[in-house]
Amino acid sequence: MQQRTDIPDRIYSRRIIRSLFIIIVLFLFTPLTPCYEPALAKPAKPEVLVIEVNDGDTVTVRIDGKEYRARLIGIDAPELGQWPWGERAKDHLIALMYDAGWKVLVETDVVKSDKYDRLLAYLWTQQGELINERMLLDGCAVLFTIPPNVKYANRFTKAEARARRERKGIWGTEGLRESPLEYREKHPRKEYSF
């Protein structure tokens, strides 16, 4: 009778394949285990007091007794020299701050400040409205995405597309003639800083 030597090799091969399969499954599904914190357990966004609206995309906030300029991520509002749209954008942001009681929640992205040492921020109302997005939806700013701060880029793209479609604000028939960036390039001044 001939002895089969290939059976142990097949059993051994099956064990290896089964073990590898288990390792791969465990590796792929480990993030789903309950040992991870749920998404809602993230630290809350700090609430800050807005003490001034500088223009349509920059505010001054007070955090822990110190004042910081905060630049709204993802948008570029008309410059104050782009009459009447610069003033309208600033007035609209003032109205949004007024509605929020001059208190907002601040969220940052990958890059926390710009070369002008301004805080780069998403501003939220207590009711969960993203003010950066509202400025786009209302036609008071244009999309201005600078990677790696792209957390809400898709939302912002849709908001601008909606404002354009509905011909709101700067997208109306008597709307903005040149982008804020084009305006800054034609009128270079130190204080223009996006």
Side-chain angles (χ1 to χ4, degrees):
M1 188 186 270
Q2 190 179 31
Q3 199 175 18
R4 297 191 64 177
T5 58
D6 61 334
I7 292 175
D9 287 339
R10 274 193 261 161
I11 292 172
Y12 182 72
S13 295
R14 286 183 190 155
R15 285 182 182 163
I16 289 176
I17 291 170
R18 195 175 316 137
S19 297
L20 285 173
F21 177 76
I22 291 170
I23 290 170
I24 290 170
V25 167
L26 287 174
F27 178 77
L28 290 175
F29 293 102
T30 298
L32 301 177
T33 60
C35 65
Y36 285 84
E37 292 183 44
L40 297 176
K42 291 179 184 174
K45 299 171 191 82
E47 182 181 76
V48 301
L49 178 66
V50 176
I51 57 174
E52 182 181 1
V53 172
N54 307 102
D55 58 29
D57 54 32
T58 310
V59 297
T60 302
V61 296
R62 185 172 292 136
I63 303 173
D64 297 328
K66 294 181 183 175
E67 292 181 10
Y68 301 89
R69 275 204 167 184
R71 173 71 165 78
L72 279 67
I73 298 172
I75 71 170
D76 197 11
E79 297 295 338
L80 294 175
Q82 292 182 271
W83 190 88
W85 297 106
E87 286 294 330
R88 287 183 184 177
K90 180 178 179 178
D91 291 346
H92 191 64
L93 189 53
I94 289 171
L96 293 174
M97 292 301 116
Y98 180 80
D99 291 344
W102 295 90
K103 291 182 181 178
V104 294
L105 304 175
V106 173
E107 178 183 9
T108 58
D109 207 331
V110 177
V111 176
K112 311 286 187 240
S113 61
D114 65 10
K115 63 183 179 181
Y116 304 103
D117 205 29
R118 293 177 301 184
L119 175 67
L120 297 174
Y122 300 106
L123 301 182
W124 296 84
T125 66
Q126 289 289 345
Q127 293 72 35
E129 181 177 38
L130 182 52
I131 292 170
N132 311 47
E133 182 179 39
R134 174 53 52 196
M135 291 293 288
L136 290 166
L137 282 168
D138 295 339
C140 293
V142 299
L143 182 67
F144 195 63
T145 304
I146 300 177
N149 288 359
V150 297
K151 187 172 189 174
Y152 299 109
N154 289 336
R155 283 178 69 163
F156 292 172
T157 300
K158 290 176 186 174
E160 182 182 275
R162 181 176 165 189
R164 282 177 179 250
R165 195 171 49 251
E166 296 174 2
R167 305 186 62 76
K168 287 189 172 182
I170 61 175
W171 308 112
T173 53
E174 296 294 321
L176 192 63
R177 299 288 177 231
E178 61 187 350
S179 75
L181 182 59
E182 292 168 335
Y183 181 85
R184 286 190 299 271
E185 288 172 354
K186 290 180 181 177
H187 304 88
R189 289 172 39 187
K190 281 187 177 180
E191 63 266 20
Y192 290 141
S193 55
F194 58 86

